[in-house]
Amino acid sequence: MARSSGDSPLPTAEKAASPAPGSGIHPSLFILNWILFSNATILFNKWLLDTAGFRYPIILTCWHLIFATAATQILARTTKLLESRKSLPIDGRMYLRTIVPIGILYTGSLVFSNLVYLYLSVAFTQMLKAGSPVAVLFTSWAFRVAEPNLAKFLNILVIVIGVGIASFGEINFSMIGFVYQILGIIFEAVRLVMIQVMLTAEGMKMDPLVALYYYAPVCAFFNIFVALFTEASTFKYEDLVNTGFTMLFLNASVAFMLNIASVFLIGKTSGLVLTLTGILKAILLVAVSVVIWKTPISPLQAFGYGIALLGLSYYSLGYDNVVKIYNNSSAYISATMNSYGAVPGSPDGVRGGMLTKRYVVLGSAVFGFLFVMAVLFMWVNSVPTISTTSLGAN
């Protein structure tokens, strides 16, 4: 399920089997749409909490959820986007057994995910989130949803090492922010596994918008309860006025549009595309946030993040898909080179050429990765800081 902070893992257990909306539009537009709203939500939240002076992450989360509650109720009565909810066997008892517990976990995940923006940069936050599959895997083992597997454990170990190196290389490290991010990851991991345990056991599936329809009121209630004992006593109306009601309304609208973008993306693409899109989104978000806030990134930190991303890609895609992508890339390059007469005409020559080209593909991938990291380093050191007033400060 997409979340108001814009950075939740792409849905798995909550995918709906509803018809794909907007079937006449090319899938790439849905991908770009989701990347746009996902990154815009995260950057917008960071700007509000860290730059615009509205330093109330729990109250901001409450506002997002109240807005989402009202918006989903309106959409349920005026559109067919939430029609699949009518097929779900949810009564009062089911609501208390499934929706409420998952909603509490969702509340914790949202609160900690927004709190972290007060202490850590967007770039480093995304690097830490590369370790989310670690928490999900260990939680699934703890709940006996999945059996422990040595190959997966070793793969996860690579991700952990990468995240550890990135953390060690972080220049502006904050232990409080780090702890908040880890707690947010843990709450989210338990929530995802509980969705699999509870909803799947009951034979229910929810798309992100329907899930938000049920979870938003529960989360809003618990967030308001938490805010009363934390931020309510320090809240200043002047901060609200200085930030601007229009800006807060626009922020909640962008966060909600992310949920709608998720529905269209899930209905139009495959799980493989979702995974690749999520990884691409994370890389773009790090680059954009570095340019906006001129966040310093050390070579060690970028190297660790690169290791984590490679491990995450392999973990998400699996061996078979990696081999398939590799073979397709090799075949494409082979066909291209053959069309220019670069490969000898004999069968042995073709076979040898294919073997050589596979090494070329692998080498090009490694070189491309290192080249992107090098460009990022130079970009960080050469691009001037963008004024926050250009982002819409009041």
Side-chain angles (χ1 to χ4, degrees):
M1 176 170 56
R3 55 201 288 170
S4 63
S5 59
D7 50 13
S8 68
L10 291 165
T12 52
E14 295 182 53
K15 286 185 183 179
S18 55
S23 56
I25 303 175
H26 195 276
S28 61
L29 294 179
F30 293 103
I31 294 173
L32 292 174
N33 187 50
W34 181 81
I35 290 177
L36 170 66
F37 281 107
S38 182
N39 287 353
T41 302
I42 294 173
L43 295 172
F44 205 160
N45 286 354
K46 171 67 175 177
W47 177 79
L48 279 177
L49 294 170
D50 188 47
T51 306
F54 192 79
R55 301 179 69 83
Y56 308 102
I58 299 176
I59 292 177
L60 182 64
T61 306
C62 289
W63 164 234
H64 284 177
L65 293 166
I66 292 171
F67 185 95
T69 299
T72 51
Q73 291 293 329
I74 293 173
L75 288 178
R77 289 161 175 75
T78 58
T79 71
K80 295 184 178 181
L81 288 174
L82 289 97
E83 283 296 296
S84 62
R85 80 187 193 283
K86 296 179 180 179
S87 62
L88 300 176
I90 295 181
D91 52 20
R93 184 168 174 269
M94 182 70 67
Y95 194 88
L96 291 175
R97 285 179 53 194
T98 59
I99 303 300
V100 172
I102 294 173
I104 293 174
L105 293 169
Y106 190 31
T107 299
S109 173
L110 288 172
V111 168
F112 286 119
S113 294
N114 277 337
L115 276 171
V116 74
Y117 292 131
L118 296 176
Y119 302 94
L120 299 178
S121 67
V122 173
F124 184 47
T125 299
Q126 288 303 120
M127 293 180 190
L128 291 177
K129 285 175 183 174
S132 296
V134 177
V136 174
L137 183 63
F138 283 119
T139 304
S140 64
W141 288 351
F143 280 84
R144 299 185 181 276
V145 174
E147 292 297 324
N149 181 288
L150 180 60
K152 286 187 176 180
F153 177 79
L154 293 176
N155 190 182
I156 286 297
L157 188 61
V158 172
I159 300 175
V160 171
I161 292 173
V163 173
I165 294 174
S167 301
F168 186 76
E170 168 66 10
I171 298 173
N172 300 316
F173 183 82
S174 168
M175 180 55 71
I176 296 177
F178 180 81
V179 171
Y180 281 152
Q181 183 57 68
I182 296 302
L183 289 174
I185 289 175
I186 292 174
F187 269 92
E188 181 67 8
V190 176
R191 183 185 76 89
L192 291 175
V193 173
M194 291 296 285
I195 287 172
Q196 185 174 354
V197 172
M198 293 183 174
L199 298 190
T200 304
E202 300 292 342
M204 294 189 298
K205 292 182 180 180
M206 296 183 185
D207 67 43
L209 206 55
V210 171
L212 192 66
Y213 173 86
Y214 286 110
Y215 294 140
V218 177
C219 294
F221 172 80
F222 285 109
N223 266 268
I224 292 172
F225 182 79
V226 172
L228 289 175
F229 291 93
T230 54
E231 296 177 350
S233 59
T234 60
F235 178 76
K236 296 180 181 178
Y237 182 74
E238 293 79 9
D239 293 333
L240 179 62
V241 174
N242 291 334
T243 302
F245 294 96
T246 302
M247 196 62 64
L248 288 171
F249 181 83
L250 180 61
N251 175 249
S253 300
V254 171
F256 183 73
M257 286 302 298
L258 170 61
N259 291 278
I260 296 180
S262 297
V263 173
F264 282 87
L265 180 65
I266 290 170
K268 193 64 179 177
T269 61
S270 65
L272 176 61
V273 173
L274 287 173
T275 298
L276 293 172
T277 301
I279 295 171
L280 174 62
K281 184 213 79 169
I283 296 173
L284 291 175
L285 182 57
V286 170
V288 172
S289 64
V290 163
V291 172
I292 293 177
W293 283 281
K294 202 171 176 57
T295 306
I297 295 181
S298 67
L300 181 62
Q301 187 181 12
F303 176 70
Y305 185 47
I307 293 176
L309 282 179
L310 291 175
L312 174 61
S313 301
Y314 185 83
Y315 174 83
S316 302
L317 299 175
Y319 177 79
D320 291 339
N321 279 320
V322 170
V323 171
K324 182 178 179 181
I325 293 172
Y326 174 75
N327 288 337
N328 288 343
S329 300
S330 298
Y332 176 79
I333 291 180
S334 175
T336 303
M337 294 182 72
N338 272 323
S339 66
Y340 288 97
V343 178
S346 64
D348 290 340
V350 172
R351 189 176 304 165
M354 281 292 293
L355 183 61
T356 302
K357 293 180 201 66
R358 291 187 180 186
Y359 283 109
V360 170
V361 172
L362 181 60
S364 299
V366 174
F367 176 79
F369 170 75
L370 295 176
F371 177 78
V372 170
M373 291 296 101
V375 170
L376 185 58
F377 293 153
M378 292 186 289
W379 200 1
V380 171
N381 293 323
S382 63
V383 177
T385 305
I386 294 178
S387 173
T388 55
T389 56
S390 67
L391 299 177
N394 289 347

